[in-house]
Amino acid sequence: MLVLSGTIGAGKTSLTNLLAKHLNKPAFYESVDDNKILPLFYKDPQKYAFLLQIYFLNKRLDSIKAANADQESVMDRSIFEDSLLFHLNADLGRATNTEVDIYDSLLQNMMQELPEATYQKNPDLLIHINISFDTMLQRIKKRGRSYEQIDTDPSLYNYYKELDQRYTDWYANYDKSPKMQINGDDLDFVEDPAARQKVLTLIDEKIASL
Ligand SMILES: Nc1ncnc2c1ncn2[C@@H]1O[C@H](COP(=O)(O)OP(=O)(O)OP(=O)(O)O)[C@@H](O)[C@H]1O
């Protein structure tokens, strides 16, 4: 299982699509637009942070189980980033210590590899798309999901800034599988065909080396 990671607007969904087509493998997406809890969370984070995370955990484990039939199936987001986001929200006072403890132990329980299982839950490769904070802000604006806009809620600026910093630390410390990083500022694989080819070649080379 190949798993994409990266901050909001990094291009995870687009690269999942490209890569799955390139490899002729199934893609697994977490649909953001169908998520009924996400807009509620952005409106009232204190009330909905924990519920949103339980929703995501459940969905992502479903995808992991489905994606595991194939070593090169592609998933558009990792379960580990949910934990990163939840801890950020908890540190902002949007979840209680008890909720954090329950979340952490639930995640650990869900992700425990069982010796008798026919598949593993951790990725075979994590592909991290790294974009700068400025690019992140531009993409959020360009995509225009209403609840993500800083113009509507200026406090989101600090939330995104902190998220950006935590992503850098998270990727540096990630050790659940082999990993690679794509420079999403330099390589615009959505708009530029040459960049697209370069990214796919980099990933092919990494897969071949595993
Ligand atoms: N575990 C989570 N906790 C809180 N918010 C989350 C969580 N997971 C995703 N989100 C929110 O859901 C929205 C979509 O995020 P995500 O990064 O998965 O997709 P995306 O922005 O479409 O990424 P890309 O453009 O890279 O495909 C964002 O507003 C993000 O903050």
Side-chain angles (χ1 to χ4, degrees):
M1 182 177 37
L2 310 173
V3 175
L4 274 293
S5 69
T7 189
I8 306 170
K12 301 178 291 293
T13 308
S14 305
L15 189 53
T16 297
N17 189 20
L18 284 171
L19 192 55
K21 283 199 176 121
H22 172 70
L23 298 170
N24 197 18
K25 297 287 184 186
F28 293 86
Y29 303 97
E30 165 60 30
S31 170
V32 174
D33 297 328
D34 293 351
N35 185 331
K36 303 247 181 332
I37 305 167
L38 201 47
L40 296 176
F41 162 74
Y42 269 94
K43 216 160 152 192
D44 189 346
Q46 214 118 6
K47 184 165 174 191
Y48 290 104
F50 187 68
L51 178 66
L52 178 68
Q53 299 311 320
I54 299 303
Y55 172 93
F56 274 131
L57 271 193
N58 193 26
K59 287 277 190 185
R60 303 246 201 257
L61 192 63
D62 264 349
S63 302
I64 288 172
K65 286 197 287 189
N68 250 299
D70 196 314
Q71 263 199 331
E72 287 179 8
S73 56
V74 191
M75 244 178 92
D76 78 340
R77 193 166 214 281
S78 76
I79 202 163
F80 312 112
E81 294 160 275
D82 290 321
S83 175
L84 181 165
L85 269 142
F86 183 47
H87 278 264
L88 165 57
N89 277 286
D91 291 346
L92 293 171
R94 297 163 172 183
T96 64
N97 291 339
T98 309
E99 286 170 330
V100 173
D101 289 348
I102 290 173
Y103 179 89
D104 286 347
S105 74
L106 179 62
L107 176 63
Q108 200 186 16
N109 222 343
M110 287 167 106
M111 292 303 283
Q112 188 186 5
E113 305 284 10
L114 301 174
E116 66 273 19
T118 51
Y119 62 86
Q120 59 157 46
K121 294 175 196 154
N122 285 310
D124 294 290
L125 174 66
L126 181 91
I127 303 167
H128 182 64
I129 309 168
N130 188 32
I131 56 169
S132 63
F133 183 56
D134 283 348
T135 303
M136 176 185 177
L137 296 185
Q138 281 166 24
R139 298 261 178 88
I140 288 170
K141 203 165 185 175
K142 186 172 160 202
R143 186 167 54 200
R145 279 184 200 137
S146 57
Y147 50 84
E148 289 177 351
Q149 299 310 309
I150 293 175
D151 291 349
T152 323
D153 177 0
S155 73
L156 285 174
Y157 181 90
N158 284 339
Y159 181 66
Y160 294 155
K161 181 106 197 133
E162 180 65 25
L163 187 62
D164 174 62
Q165 186 52 52
R166 290 199 186 200
Y167 256 103
T168 306
D169 300 343
W170 170 78
Y171 179 72
N173 293 314
Y174 174 84
D175 62 0
K176 303 277 188 216
S177 71
K179 60 182 177 180
M180 68 179 292
Q181 188 155 224
I182 303 288
N183 184 332
D185 282 352
D186 290 352
L187 295 168
D188 186 349
F189 48 81
V190 174
E191 302 289 345
D192 175 6
R196 189 175 313 148
Q197 194 47 55
K198 172 116 196 260
V199 167
L200 292 174
T201 303
L202 286 170
I203 297 173
D204 282 342
E205 285 169 1
K206 182 70 185 182
I207 293 173
S209 76
L210 293 177

